[in-house]
Amino acid sequence: MTRFSIFSLARNALTGHTGWDRQWRSSELKPDYDVVIVGGGGHGLSTAYYLAKEHGITNVAVLEKGWLAGGNVARNTTIIRSNYLWDESAAIYEHALRLWEGLSQDLNYNVMLSQRGVLNLAHNLHDVREGRRRAYANQLNGVDAEWLDAAAVKDFCPIINISPDIRHPVLGATLQRRGGVARHDAIAWGMARAADARGVDIIENCEVTGIRREGGRVVGVETSKGLVGAKKVGLVAAGHSSVLAELAGLRLPIESHPLQALVSEPIKPVLDTVVMSGTVHVYVSQSDKGELVIGAGIDGFNSYAQRGSLHVITSQTGALIELFPIFSRLKMMRSWGGIVDVSPDASPIVSKTPIDGLYINCGWGTGGFKATPGSGWAFAHTIANDRAHSVNAAFSLDRFTSGALIDEHGAAAVAH
Amino acid sequence: MLKITCPYCGPRDEIEFRCGGEAHITRPKEPGRLSDDAWADYVFMRSNPKGNHAERWLHVNGCRRWFNAIRDTVTHEFKAIYRVGDSPPADLIGPTRGTK
């Protein structure tokens, strides 16, 4: 692997950039692995990377049924923040944010983290109370958070409409200055390259069709490329988690929904922060290319189709225009959908399962991108040690039986 | 937008309806005798299939009545629509919980 640096850039510039290596190998599937990760998206690749880096486990395969990083890591709105209400959530998302802050150096790959601040708007008295409470809870947990009144919001984001006579007036917002956006593909490619350099095999076009067990223990997976032995198997398949878990006879507290996003035509810089509103379901930032990147809410029905209904986008762009009248004549260029795995308490599952050697990481719902490095880090620890780290211990599958839910509905600053 | 046929009102646009999630989840007859695992299965676990899914719909901006449907979660096609209390068409869906 060529290390990226100013010197390697200069050296390759002299040869017309024809001398760059491939960033990761095209691996052949081996018959046996210590760990098989099912799902080659952001969380799966990050799990493989931290298994190799933190635990020295390099005999690892990442099996991806389509192409690398073609699911939700390619489809999200790239927002990163850690301003969650509950202690357990603040711990895991803040852990992820701290990993993000050193990730470009760690991976030797520019993930283009831009800590431009995230505003979570309040539109009614309840939102104001909830937002202030969350900001104070964040401060107690060592997560940076501030409360801004409407005038301060306008000062921080001048194009926002704080007129009191709109349907959902802006009464204030929480601000996390360390929040922001990152390059969605870069974390997947960077993790793939770094994991591959440590010996991890990344196998694309390899669908898992069965999970082999002997005496209650996982011994391997059946795939479209044949049987693969594995001492441990980690399922990290976002919207398809229920389908995979069923192969092992497990039922999950997950329902898969479409979540849509869209981008506008590129315009000059007008929005230098991230604005989110759970009440009207708008999440917007401006990309480096100048496009507005806009996220919508989920469709109400279950779906595996990676597309949603137009009325969801219609109501969300209506709200966007009310908040930002300056956007009213923008053309939208593309819209798309992903399948998100929604859990009953809007919190993820990063956990052992009742089956020995089988682990599951799912339930990130509409907000998994921000957690990518933290999720992989915690899941790698859980797989390597056969027990959860304190950062993800509360996010067990067992909590739906014990009742110890982590209820982030609404409290997580967005409606799920 | 989906076109959904309410069994009482006929075909209407999707925005008149709200999806109420998986159908045929029956409340346990003796809740006091249920184990924690059985409670978890009743309250939280869902079949979430890729393919035919039995689900409840509410015609919320119409007759405000509930009905059941079998819908494909990949194509979004409604394969069957039937009234609450009726059994799901057996050829479209495997055994559902609560109908055994």
Side-chain angles (χ1 to χ4, degrees):
Chain A
M1 181 182 84
T2 311
R3 219 183 134 68
F4 294 139
S5 68
I6 186 71
F7 303 108
S8 65
L9 184 65
R11 198 165 52 247
N12 279 283
L14 293 175
T15 55
H17 292 293
T18 54
W20 292 107
D21 295 336
R22 291 179 68 94
Q23 295 193 22
W24 53 85
R25 297 164 295 145
S26 182
S27 300
E28 286 298 314
L29 193 60
K30 292 191 291 200
D32 283 293
Y33 290 95
D34 290 338
V35 179
V36 164
I37 301 295
V38 185
H43 290 227
L45 293 165
S46 150
T47 304
Y49 171 64
Y50 287 113
L51 273 173
K53 183 192 175 213
E54 301 288 341
H55 307 283
I57 301 173
T58 56
N59 186 23
V60 175
V62 178
L63 307 184
E64 166 55 48
K65 82 169 172 177
W67 61 92
L68 185 135
N72 292 348
V73 75
R75 294 160 188 268
N76 64 86
T77 50
T78 79
I79 299 169
I80 291 165
R81 60 189 179 88
S82 63
N83 56 347
Y84 280 68
L85 177 69
W86 299 114
D87 297 351
E88 297 87 349
S89 316
I92 197 166
Y93 288 106
E94 178 63 15
H95 184 69
L97 180 53
R98 293 202 175 153
L99 288 171
W100 272 110
E101 286 172 331
L103 206 56
S104 291
Q105 281 71 33
D106 187 34
L107 297 178
N108 180 232
Y109 205 98
N110 188 1
V111 297
M112 297 167 76
L113 176 67
S114 165
Q115 292 176 291
R116 57 183 69 179
V118 173
L119 286 172
N120 290 102
L121 302 180
H123 299 281
N124 52 52
L125 189 58
H126 172 79
D127 283 357
V128 171
R129 287 178 180 152
E130 185 277 319
R132 293 172 72 109
R133 177 192 180 202
R134 182 166 44 75
Y136 299 141
N138 290 161
Q139 289 164 9
L140 290 172
N141 274 322
V143 175
D144 71 303
E146 303 161 43
W147 172 257
L148 306 183
D149 62 19
V153 171
K154 182 81 177 168
D155 196 41
F156 189 76
C157 179
I159 60 169
I160 203 164
N161 177 12
I162 58 164
S163 162
D165 62 356
I166 60 176
R167 173 66 185 85
H168 296 284
V170 176
L171 303 183
T174 62
L175 169 62
Q176 184 178 23
R177 291 184 191 272
R178 287 164 62 239
V181 292
R183 170 85 175 126
H184 55 280
D185 289 326
I187 185 169
W189 297 340
M191 286 288 186
R193 172 171 168 269
D196 175 86
R198 289 171 188 267
V200 171
D201 286 352
I202 297 165
I203 316 285
E204 296 175 281
N205 301 311
C206 180
E207 182 174 2
V208 169
T209 53
I211 294 171
R212 277 284 173 95
R213 284 177 289 169
E214 271 172 27
R217 225 206 120 72
V218 162
V219 293
V221 292
E222 291 153 28
T223 78
S224 52
K225 296 191 178 198
L227 184 67
V228 185
K231 295 189 181 78
K232 295 176 176 179
V233 174
L235 307 179
V236 203
H240 274 80
S241 294
S242 298
V243 176
L244 273 177
E246 196 185 4
L247 297 177
L250 273 184
R251 277 164 66 79
L252 294 180
I254 295 290
E255 292 199 297
S256 299
H257 290 267
L259 177 66
Q260 298 179 84
L262 60 161
V263 292
S264 74
E265 59 188 325
I267 53 172
K268 289 184 177 177
V270 289
L271 183 62
D272 62 356
T273 186
V274 181
V275 179
M276 308 180 65
S277 166
T279 300
V280 298
H281 267 302
V282 166
Y283 321 109
V284 61
S285 65
Q286 189 170 18
S287 74
D288 294 338
K289 286 188 286 185
E291 303 156 336
L292 295 178
V293 182
I294 304 160
I298 61 170
D299 283 68
F301 50 77
N302 289 19
S303 172
Y304 285 85
Q306 293 186 321
R307 66 175 183 276
S309 296
L310 187 65
H311 70 86
V312 175
I313 290 181
T314 310
S315 69
Q316 166 251 318
T317 42
L320 177 78
I321 289 164
E322 191 177 63
L323 282 175
F324 299 99
I326 190 176
F327 297 157
S328 65
R329 300 181 69 179
L330 271 184
K331 293 185 180 74
M332 295 299 150
M333 291 205 306
R334 298 186 298 281
S335 74
W336 63 92
I339 314 167
V340 296
D341 40 340
V342 177
S343 71
D345 57 356
S347 288
I349 298 161
V350 184
S351 177
K352 293 175 66 170
T353 70
I355 298 161
D356 282 346
L358 185 69
Y359 306 83
I360 191 150
N361 184 347
C362 66
W364 291 94
T366 60
F369 177 72
K370 68 174 84 69
T372 305
S375 159
W377 189 94
F379 197 42
H381 185 281
T382 307
I383 293 172
N385 298 295
D386 194 38
R387 74 187 139 79
H389 188 271
S390 61
V391 93
N392 67 308
F395 295 95
S396 67
L397 184 56
D398 186 54
R399 74 178 185 269
F400 298 96
T401 307
S402 71
L405 303 184
I406 305 155
D407 187 6
E408 286 288 358
H409 274 292
V414 299
H416 289 266
Chain B
M1 184 172 309
L2 304 177
K3 189 79 87 182
I4 301 172
T5 304
C6 171
Y8 306 99
C9 309
R12 301 291 183 90
D13 283 345
E14 177 192 346
I15 49 170
E16 293 189 12
F17 297 85
R18 184 169 302 153
C19 185
E22 187 172 348
H24 308 298
I25 300 174
T26 336
R27 188 171 170 81
K29 286 203 175 67
E30 292 187 87
R33 300 171 70 89
L34 226 53
S35 67
D36 287 353
D37 282 335
W39 265 121
D41 195 66
Y42 164 63
V43 177
F44 294 121
M45 303 301 165
R46 295 293 178 262
S47 50
N48 195 25
K50 186 174 187 175
N52 289 347
H53 185 223
E55 56 196 17
R56 304 181 303 161
W57 284 83
L58 172 64
H59 194 183
V60 61
N61 295 317
C63 62
R64 302 189 60 81
R65 294 171 85 168
W66 286 94
F67 59 92
N68 290 333
I70 308 286
R71 188 181 54 90
D72 189 316
T73 58
V74 179
T75 63
H76 297 170
E77 181 193 354
F78 281 81
K79 301 275 183 71
I81 287 176
Y82 52 101
R83 297 186 182 201
V84 171
D86 292 352
S87 297
D91 55 326
L92 291 178
I93 193 160
T96 56
R97 285 188 303 160
T99 59
K100 282 173 254 179

